[in-house]
Amino acid sequence: MSRNILVGVGGGIAAYKTCEIVRGLTRSGARVRVAPTPAALRFVGAPTWEALSHAPVETDVFARVDEVLHVELGQWADLILIAPATADLLSRSAAGRADDLLTASLLASRAPVLAAPAMHTAMWENPATAANIQTLRDRGWEFLGPVSGALTGADSGMGRMFDPESIVERALATGRPQDLRGRRIVVTAGGTHEDIDPVRFIGNRSSGRQGIAVAEAARDRGAEVTLIAAHVDAPLPAGVHLVQALSAERLQRSVHEACVGADALVMVAAVCDYRPTRPGAHKLKKHDLGETTSLELTVTPDILAGLTASAERPPVVVGFAAETASGAALERLGTGKRRAKGCDLLVANDVTDGVFGTDENHALLLAADAPPLELHGHKREVADGLLDAVTALLERQSTSTQKEPLS
Ligand code: C5P
């Protein structure tokens, strides 16, 4: 479920932080369009917003009049996020003015509005601003911050914009069904590294992006999420419990600990199947090894299979499988793996065309009692498709006492 988010930018110095907000939203799969006020463009120019949102940017109600842009934008948006919400922008919004593209789009929209005020303490505390905030709150606007801290000048106090990472998190959650509220979900992500010596390791190409997308999607649907991260090359999310587990051995321990009392485990991590049997305590030297050498490897425990056979098995367990196969062959391999590992669901990925390190994925969701479901698109959309199935299984299990895998 991809979202259309209109980011309205007011003319305050905090506009530079909104660049990070736009990046965070697009990275999470949201479609973003930016409507800066004319004053906002004095802080950050239109090309920056266009590059970050991958969409054209206008600020004037008289731009592209033939497209009736304010109505188009207002109706396109599922959510309007205003950051920074300056005193002037709040005042014009409270008065119902429509003197630039942003305020006109706000009037033409029925989407929920989330606003992050930023201004000097004196402006924030002014009764005029307080009255405007109250008016907008009464109309359903939701406010994040401001918070107290250093201001643009020499002084400090209430008026700093809410932390950009948390604004992204709240924007992604606003208006989402909270169908995982009260659930505890454990997600693993990234690839393990198995030490050869203190300098070298065996690893794999996993970037961790799909696992992070599952953790973010579960968080946004109200779950309490534990993200167990091996090596990842993507930003880790806010608003989840983070556990670092860089090797198969550490990951196994962390998964068993985190699964006690959990409702679901989504095992996205790419666990190395082998580890060096005797990792060197010191850096191995080429002159000691000669022209050719070999490395003895020992199989790592199958964490997923071990977990599903253990007392810590959560009611719903999801496995992932990266395969270089497609169509019927992918389905056959995935179904075999789902049964062998004792999971309720398995996401089988065709990685032939290289999904590692990209934002897109295409996969087959395999369940015991449902036909295969194709999941494709941004990794966040794949995550939400998977969580729809997890939610349905959890609801079904709440009405029965069945705890065994549905194979
Ligand atoms: O057998 P394969 O590695 O394809 O299985 C992938 C699934 O099994 C993933 O969910 C992965 O996290 C899990 N796995 C595991 N322990 C291993 C290897 C894979 O839990 N040693």
Side-chain angles (χ1 to χ4, degrees), residues 175-240:
R176 294 245 180 219
Q178 296 293 290
D179 50 3
L180 286 171
R181 184 165 296 292
R183 302 289 193 181
R184 277 199 48 216
I185 312 268
V186 179
V187 183
T188 67
T192 67
H193 283 186
E194 310 301 328
D195 286 353
I196 296 171
D197 65 20
V199 179
R200 307 166 180 104
F201 59 85
I202 296 178
N204 57 62
R205 295 186 201 280
S206 171
S207 67
R209 289 182 197 208
Q210 183 61 74
I212 289 170
V214 172
E216 287 178 340
R219 173 201 69 193
D220 296 344
R221 292 165 75 144
E224 188 191 323
V225 177
T226 299
L227 173 61
I228 304 175
H231 286 270
V232 299
D233 77 356
L236 289 166
V240 303

Side-chain angles (χ1 to χ4, degrees), residues 4-93:
N4 295 342
I5 303 180
L6 174 62
V7 178
V9 190
I13 181 61
Y16 81 91
K17 299 185 190 170
T18 307
C19 298
E20 277 305 320
I21 296 175
V22 173
R23 267 172 73 84
L25 292 173
T26 52
R27 209 186 280 128
S28 297
R31 281 182 291 261
V32 176
R33 288 165 77 182
V34 182
T37 63
L41 291 183
R42 299 184 65 161
F43 289 97
V44 179
T48 302
W49 301 120
E50 291 183 339
L52 292 174
S53 65
H54 315 291
V57 162
E58 304 289 355
T59 187
D60 192 341
V61 254
F62 291 104
R64 288 157 43 204
V65 173
D66 57 325
E67 294 175 35
V68 203
L69 215 46
H70 60 296
V71 176
E72 194 268 322
L73 268 183
Q75 296 188 351
W76 169 86
D78 303 319
L79 170 71
I80 300 180
L81 168 67
I82 302 186
T86 56
D88 177 65
L89 183 52
L90 291 169
S91 161
R92 289 190 293 124
S93 303

Side-chain angles (χ1 to χ4, degrees), residues 83 109 192 195 227 242 268 364-365 390 401:
S109 183
T192 67
D195 286 353
L227 173 61
L242 279 173
V268 198
L364 267 189
L365 176 61
V390 170
T401 52

Side-chain angles (χ1 to χ4, degrees), residues 188 267-273 300-305 318-323 337 341 346:
T188 67
M267 189 79 190
V268 198
V271 184
C272 287
D273 289 321
T300 54
D302 190 316
I303 302 171
L304 187 55
V318 184
F320 268 67
E323 305 286 357
K337 208 163 264 189
K341 298 202 180 225
L346 188 121

